[in-house]
Amino acid sequence: MEAAASRKPILLVVSGPSGSGKDSVIAALRTLEPRIGYCVSTTTRAARPGETEGVHYHFVTREAFEAMDARREFLETREYAGNLYGTPRAFVEDALRSGRDIVLKPEVNGAMRIKELYPQAVLVFLTVRSEDELVRRLEERDADGPDDIAARLETARLEAKAISKYDYLILNDEFDVAVAQLRAILTAEALKVWRLGETS
Ligand code: 5GP
């Protein structure tokens, strides 16, 4: 994305069920659009194989998370499948102040909270066409036990009910198409007339 020096930054929020391929799609977008900053959340979940501290998440104990929360270091927090997740307040506020586009990937409740705080946030829901496909992907990933998969699936069913509150829906049946669609959203958002002018 060509940075229009004076345009207002894009706060891109991408939600979608575990197994939707959200992380890979966001990673591909960031390769194509290296200017977009990724908001690394904090979680009490254990790191999965291949996940790195500070890159995928900040991995902390529940005690540390609660202490950070008490210091109001999160914009929003959520318990999801038995683990806590939080969006770092300072990262988002600094990015918006300095006019930098960022992407976040909270679950549905977090996305709704961010939309309340920042009505200009652009909400994208990314999923796959069928629940069978979701199950297949979760099993293939093999990082979560069967109980965890069941809990994630149940959450996915609940989350799907919130799709109407999002601005855009992407079905990740074909990875390259999903990435191109997310990039198209970013491009269109950058061209919105209201974004011209002073950063805020
Ligand atoms: P996972 O454990 O699969 O990485 O993430 C579980 C869920 O938590 C996903 O839906 C993910 O998008 C969501 N999530 C990750 N970080 C945050 C966050 O900071 N806040 C909220 N509300 N959800 C998050």
Side-chain angles (χ1 to χ4, degrees):
M1 188 78 18
E2 275 313 303
S6 61
R7 79 157 162 77
K8 292 191 174 67
I10 300 167
L11 178 51
L12 184 65
V13 175
V14 183
S15 302
S18 293
S20 61
K22 178 178 59 188
D23 292 348
S24 309
V25 171
I26 292 173
L29 176 76
R30 291 175 58 216
T31 304
L32 294 167
E33 303 284 356
R35 276 181 225 269
I36 193 163
Y38 179 64
C39 181
V40 179
S41 286
T42 300
T43 183
T44 61
R45 161 166 88 59
R48 296 189 185 120
E51 285 185 331
T52 308
E53 161 60 31
V55 175
H56 298 92
Y57 282 105
H58 296 294
F59 297 99
V60 300
T61 62
R62 187 169 272 262
E63 198 181 26
F65 189 102
E66 283 166 355
M68 292 168 80
D69 196 22
R71 292 195 298 268
R72 303 197 65 246
E73 291 181 21
F74 299 122
L75 270 184
E76 60 79 36
T77 63
R78 194 71 195 172
E79 181 137 11
Y80 184 102
N83 299 301
L84 295 169
Y85 296 81
T87 302
R89 179 186 300 278
F91 180 89
V92 175
E93 290 180 351
D94 290 352
L96 295 183
R97 207 174 298 123
S98 57
R100 185 167 182 229
D101 297 337
I102 53 171
V103 57
L104 288 74
K105 49 144 230 185
E107 48 65 69
V108 166
N109 298 281
M112 294 305 124
R113 180 71 189 127
I114 287 164
K115 186 80 178 174
E116 267 172 34
L117 294 169
Y118 300 104
Q120 78 275 27
V122 180
L123 267 52
V124 180
F125 196 90
L126 189 128
T127 188
V128 290
R129 210 168 283 274
S130 74
E131 192 174 295
D132 288 352
E133 175 62 10
L134 214 53
V135 174
R136 194 189 64 71
R137 290 183 186 209
L138 285 170
E139 285 174 353
E140 194 178 80
R141 181 162 78 187
D142 203 26
D144 314 301
D147 290 353
D148 208 14
I149 289 181
R152 282 165 190 273
L153 207 57
E154 188 49 37
T155 308
R157 286 188 192 124
L158 291 173
E159 288 198 337
K161 298 195 170 136
I163 288 178
S164 63
K165 302 202 173 95
Y166 281 71
D167 299 307
Y168 298 95
L169 172 66
I170 295 179
L171 293 177
N172 183 16
D173 294 335
E174 258 189 76
F175 181 75
D176 291 348
V177 174
V179 174
Q181 289 177 340
L182 189 58
R183 192 180 193 193
I185 290 168
L186 196 66
T187 304
E189 285 295 330
L191 298 173
K192 283 199 164 157
V193 170
W194 73 264
R195 288 191 193 280
L196 301 175
E198 306 266 300
T199 56
S200 66

